[in-house]
């Protein structure tokens, strides 16, 4: 009896860190497109300090929304309508970006906000839409709620740092913001297929490869000012 308990304890000790690490890696891999979308939304605010504040407050709100989603996930996944709503939002986000004509100052596409509190709800809702797919992936990996919560917590912290990096990189690479919103559209399309035509949903590895190729293109060309500065 004691031997069996000891063996089970060893199994738990080795399995839990591995699953937690796997959840964190999955969050990081699946969050690049999320991070660039949040970075682009935050850039709709002119002031850098306001951009950081919007990300901080928006992701705190997003964290609580994620917890609510995780705790109700077994109920949420029964209703395909949630995934359709999330997919429609992501597709709208991508369409809104590409259909914007650019502002008069620098002809850049993207969102523009008059105040901090316009950007914060959009950041929180965008993360929630992405979480509809990542949470179901996490549930497939781990069946313990506290592990999924821990992975989600670390994922949100990592997302904050990634979004901060992307705010800087968007200014350094011409194609990066476009690449991010192409990836957002791809995720939205996959989420729609998952809800309406699950038999035709592409495998996760194919999505990762596709998004990686999109981001390779995104990082392929520096802005003219950055190129001249490096020369």
């Amino acid at each position: 009896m004691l031997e069996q308990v000891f063996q089970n304890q060893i199994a738990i000790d080795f399995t839990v860190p591995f699953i937690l690490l796997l959840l964190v890696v999955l969050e990081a891999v699946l969050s690049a497109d999320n991070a660039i979308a949040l970075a682009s939304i935050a850039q709709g605010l002119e002031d850098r300090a306001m951009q950081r504040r919007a990300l901080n407050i928006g992701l705190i709100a997003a964290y609580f929304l994620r917890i609510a989603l995780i705790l109700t996930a077994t109920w949420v996944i029964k209703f395909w309508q949630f995934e359709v709503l999330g997919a429609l939002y992501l597709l709208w986000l991508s369409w809104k970006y590409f259909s914007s004509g650019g502002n008069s100052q620098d002809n850049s596409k993207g969102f523009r906000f008059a105040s901090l509190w316009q950007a914060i709800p959009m950041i929180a809702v965008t993360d929630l839409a992405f979480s509809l797919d990542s949470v179901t992936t996490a549930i497939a990996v781990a069946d313990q709620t506290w592990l999924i919560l821990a992975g989600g917590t670390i994922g949100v912290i990592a997302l904050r740092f990634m979004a901060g990096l992307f705010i800087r990189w968007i200014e350094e690479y011409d194609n990066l913001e476009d690449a991010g919103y192409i990836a957002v559209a791809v995720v939205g399309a996959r989420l729609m297929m998952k809800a309406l035509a699950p038999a035709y949903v592409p495998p996760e590895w194919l999505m990762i490869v596709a998004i990686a190729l999109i981001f390779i293109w995104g990082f392929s060309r520096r802005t003219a000012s950055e190129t001249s500065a490096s020369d």
Side-chain angles (χ1 to χ4, degrees), residues 11-82:
I12 291 171
D13 289 343
F14 279 101
T15 303
V16 168
F18 174 76
I19 293 177
L20 186 57
L21 177 62
L22 184 58
L23 289 172
V24 172
V25 171
L26 282 171
E27 281 284 347
V29 171
L30 298 174
S31 291
D33 43 7
N34 188 357
I36 197 169
L38 299 186
S40 178
I41 291 169
Q43 272 202 324
L45 295 163
E46 296 295 332
D47 185 71
R48 283 293 180 92
M50 289 180 69
Q51 290 174 9
R52 291 193 296 269
R53 192 177 174 191
L55 283 174
N56 290 337
I57 300 174
L59 284 175
I60 288 172
Y63 174 66
F64 287 106
L65 289 175
R66 277 200 192 198
I67 290 177
L69 179 61
I70 290 169
L71 294 177
T72 60
T74 53
W75 175 77
V76 169
I77 60 177
K78 294 178 182 177
F79 297 93
W80 55 269
Q81 291 90 343
F82 286 108

Side-chain angles (χ1 to χ4, degrees), residues 92 94-102 109:
W92 171 83
S94 183
W95 172 82
K96 185 74 174 175
Y97 168 77
F98 284 108
S99 64
S100 63
K109 297 188 289 290

Side-chain angles (χ1 to χ4, degrees), residues 33 37 87 89-95 98 130 178-192 207 211 214:
D33 43 7
Y89 176 79
L90 293 177
L91 291 171
W92 171 83
L93 202 66
S94 183
W95 172 82
F98 284 108
F130 275 100
D178 288 350
Y181 279 98
I182 293 171
V184 168
V186 169
V187 173
R190 183 181 185 275
L191 195 57
M192 184 69 76
M207 281 290 296
I211 290 174
I214 291 169

Side-chain angles (χ1 to χ4, degrees), residues 5-16:
V5 171
F6 181 69
Q7 288 175 345
N8 290 340
Q9 184 63 43
I10 291 176
I12 291 171
D13 289 343
F14 279 101
T15 303
V16 168

